[in-house]
Amino acid sequence: MLSGLGVQLLIARLVGVEGFGTWSLFMNLFLIFSTFSDWGTSLNGPRMMQLSGAEAWISNARFWRMRLSWVAALGMLMVVLVFYSSQASILLWGLPMVLCYGFMSDWYDRGRQRPDRVAYRQIIQGLAQLLGVGIVVWFKGSLSMALAIYAGTAALTFIIWHRLKVPEDKHSGNTNWLLI
């Protein structure tokens, strides 16, 4: 949480009020489209893992989250190009976070009764983002560079943590999963 506050303060210092508005738009677009790609898994995933056949449910969650993140990224791309074309070169740095959000596996760790792993990932991600944005501010870089580092760090932690823990897909995507 404190690293997030630190990033906010550093971004504000780097770009001022007008640039901070772009940062806010960047974060809101990410939140909107990542929420779509999550499809409620972060909220309901741990419970569903306990109630249903864990292996099949996990495999379907992984399958659909990956595909929905592509759909969400395409949606974000369209929204940015249609409504925010003058800021597209900056806002499109959010695409790696949306694309890789399908890899984010905090829901899996919570369902396996390992919230400590969730905390470790979030701490590492937050500190890496704070350090990266801090370096950009130190060297008087641009908002675009700060967002690239911020988004790249998030995407990287989603992928690394996912690869370390979540089992491989063993089931094909069941479309009924989307209705649960």
Side-chain angles (χ1 to χ4, degrees):
M1 184 170 96
L2 288 177
S3 63
L5 176 61
V7 168
Q8 300 284 331
L9 295 172
L10 288 171
I11 294 288
R13 181 181 182 139
L14 178 67
V15 296
V17 174
E18 189 173 318
F20 195 79
T22 302
W23 160 260
S24 295
L25 178 60
F26 170 85
M27 290 304 297
N28 282 308
L29 287 171
F30 164 70
L31 290 172
I32 290 166
F33 290 100
S34 65
T35 298
F36 173 76
S37 71
D38 181 61
W39 205 260
T41 307
S42 293
L43 182 63
N44 297 315
R47 182 172 181 265
M48 294 305 295
M49 284 174 61
Q50 303 301 319
L51 293 177
S52 61
E55 185 178 317
W57 196 91
I58 291 167
S59 185
N60 279 306
R62 184 173 181 219
F63 177 90
W64 284 110
R65 283 177 52 97
M66 298 289 183
R67 277 129 191 99
L68 288 171
S69 63
W70 279 97
V71 172
L74 181 61
M76 181 176 170
L77 176 65
M78 290 173 33
V79 166
V80 167
L81 293 177
V82 170
F83 296 106
Y84 306 107
S85 59
S86 65
Q87 296 179 319
S89 63
I90 295 174
L91 295 175
L92 289 179
W93 284 114
L95 286 178
M97 285 196 309
V98 175
L99 274 172
C100 294
Y101 198 75
F103 288 101
M104 201 271 291
S105 58
D106 291 358
W107 59 273
Y108 176 77
D109 285 329
R110 287 185 187 105
R112 306 289 288 171
Q113 305 299 314
R114 292 301 307 264
D116 57 314
R117 292 184 184 177
V118 174
Y120 295 145
R121 185 202 61 78
Q122 291 173 347
I123 290 167
I124 290 169
Q125 177 182 328
L127 291 175
Q129 287 172 323
L130 180 62
L131 178 64
V133 172
I135 290 170
V136 170
V137 171
W138 179 267
F139 289 107
K140 298 180 181 9
S142 66
L143 176 60
S144 184
M145 182 55 68
L147 295 182
I149 289 173
Y150 185 88
T153 302
L156 194 59
T157 63
F158 295 159
I159 291 170
I160 290 171
W161 240 251
H162 180 83
R163 296 278 183 212
L164 292 176
K165 299 173 291 193
V166 180
E168 291 297 317
D169 287 331
K170 294 182 181 169
H171 297 77
S172 62
N174 177 356
T175 55
N176 290 333
W177 184 88
L178 294 169
L179 302 174
I180 295 175

